[in-house]
Amino acid sequence: MKVGILAGGLGTRLAEETEIRPKPMVEIGAKPILWHIMMHYYAYGHRDFAIALGYKGEYIKRWFSDYVAFDGSLTVNAASGSVKRHSSSLPDWSVDLVETGLNTLTGGRIKRLIDWMGDETFMLTWGDGVSDVNLDDLIAFHKSHGKLATMTAVRPPARYGHIEFDGNRVVDFTEKPQASEGWINGAFFVLEPGIKDYIDGDDVMFEHAPMQRLAADGQLMAYRHESFWQCMDTIREKHLLQKLWDSGQAPWKTWELIDESTGYRPPRLHRFRPNSDAA
């Protein structure tokens, strides 16, 4: 199943980093967050990507070119200019880098990507958020209901402690309880090509009219993800992700489960069941 990733936004809330690079190229552990997202999909066997470019799209093109050109050992013949590559540890990816316009909004970028998806069910996410969502279960859930769109619903990490009162007396205090937060759109979509009819043009946010219309028509379902999810909208969130990575406890590092020699991927917990209450 092909994977679309939106990587064209301005990233104004992360201006400390995005003045010189697009947000998906902001690094966690010396690799762009876009790489982390793609590696999570790769861990579940997805190798075919289409990336929607916009703001500083040339930076992303250059990074992929350099990533391929300079990985592993090289032998360079100075006289002829030939370069011979030796060992390489690159993942087996096919990546379409699609220009979708500087000022195009999320709906418009998705509509432009659909032409690259081969008129088949596809996956899609934003280029600034990581998760350990079980993609096999997500796809199984989408296939079970037969609707046009599935989004992953998540509980956002709380920024502050949660207080419960009895009058003015504090009866409970919980430091940053994720479970007390409401459900939000965590991206990691599975979509049918028919969603194109719900997007009028480039000036449409997918999260506004298209998703509202899909919901009104009974065509939008939610896969509830109870485990790790984190976006990177601010420098604080960037530092949080970096801290998790440095600790060796990054929950989204699912690709470590891959046995490269056999391709074996161990079964994951919390398998989806069609009669569950995940919807």
Side-chain angles (χ1 to χ4, degrees), residues 11-18 21-29 31-34 36-37 126-131 157 228-242 252:
T12 54
R13 286 182 287 182
L14 197 60
E16 301 93 332
E17 295 276 355
T18 56
R21 73 189 93 187
K23 186 160 65 166
M25 289 287 102
V26 174
E27 293 184 349
I28 304 296
K31 286 287 198 300
I33 193 169
L34 177 62
H36 292 258
I37 295 166
W126 311 150
D128 62 356
V130 288
S131 177
F228 178 83
W229 174 90
Q230 178 64 59
C231 64
M232 189 187 66
D233 277 339
T234 66
I235 197 70
R236 172 189 169 275
E237 291 164 342
K238 192 261 188 193
H239 290 159
L240 171 63
L241 291 172
Q242 185 64 57
W252 68 91

Side-chain angles (χ1 to χ4, degrees), residues 158-177:
R159 291 192 61 184
Y160 307 105
H162 175 72
I163 301 172
E164 292 187 10
F165 294 97
D166 179 5
N168 290 325
R169 182 174 66 89
V170 175
V171 295
D172 186 55
F173 177 81
T174 308
E175 179 64 16
K176 300 179 180 179

Side-chain angles (χ1 to χ4, degrees), residues 103-274:
N103 298 312
T104 306
L105 299 182
T106 54
R109 294 193 196 282
I110 293 170
K111 191 165 188 172
R112 293 189 183 206
L113 278 187
I114 290 174
D115 292 337
W116 295 77
M117 296 301 173
D119 198 32
E120 296 177 350
T121 306
F122 64 98
M123 307 184 81
L124 180 124
T125 194
W126 311 150
D128 62 356
V130 288
S131 177
D132 63 353
V133 60
N134 188 313
L135 299 176
D136 290 342
D137 287 357
L138 174 62
I139 292 172
F141 173 74
H142 178 79
K143 290 180 177 179
S144 75
H145 61 63
K147 306 298 184 181
L148 290 178
T150 297
M151 70 173 175
T152 297
V154 300
R155 295 185 188 273
R159 291 192 61 184
Y160 307 105
H162 175 72
I163 301 172
E164 292 187 10
F165 294 97
D166 179 5
N168 290 325
R169 182 174 66 89
V170 175
V171 295
D172 186 55
F173 177 81
T174 308
E175 179 64 16
K176 300 179 180 179
Q178 185 171 17
S180 69
E181 299 296 301
W183 294 93
I184 65 168
N185 170 23
F188 291 94
F189 295 93
V190 185
L191 303 170
E192 300 297 330
I195 66 157
K196 188 173 185 178
D197 296 336
Y198 287 80
I199 304 171
D200 293 332
D202 285 350
D203 298 330
V204 175
M205 291 287 289
F206 186 64
E207 307 91 304
H208 295 169
M211 289 185 68
Q212 291 167 1
R213 290 168 56 198
L214 283 163
D217 289 350
Q219 292 293 329
L220 177 62
M221 301 291 285
Y223 175 82
R224 297 186 189 184
H225 176 58
E226 300 273 6
S227 188
F228 178 83
W229 174 90
Q230 178 64 59
C231 64
M232 189 187 66
D233 277 339
T234 66
I235 197 70
R236 172 189 169 275
E237 291 164 342
K238 192 261 188 193
H239 290 159
L240 171 63
L241 291 172
Q242 185 64 57
K243 184 177 180 180
L244 285 170
W245 184 266
D246 292 342
S247 73
Q249 302 297 317
W252 68 91
K253 202 175 182 181
T254 51
W255 54 92
E256 285 199 334
L257 301 175
I258 301 174
D259 183 333
E260 293 291 355
S261 63
T262 65
Y264 173 73
R265 292 171 175 78
R268 290 159 173 83
L269 301 177
H270 310 300
R271 303 296 298 176
F272 167 71
R273 298 290 184 269

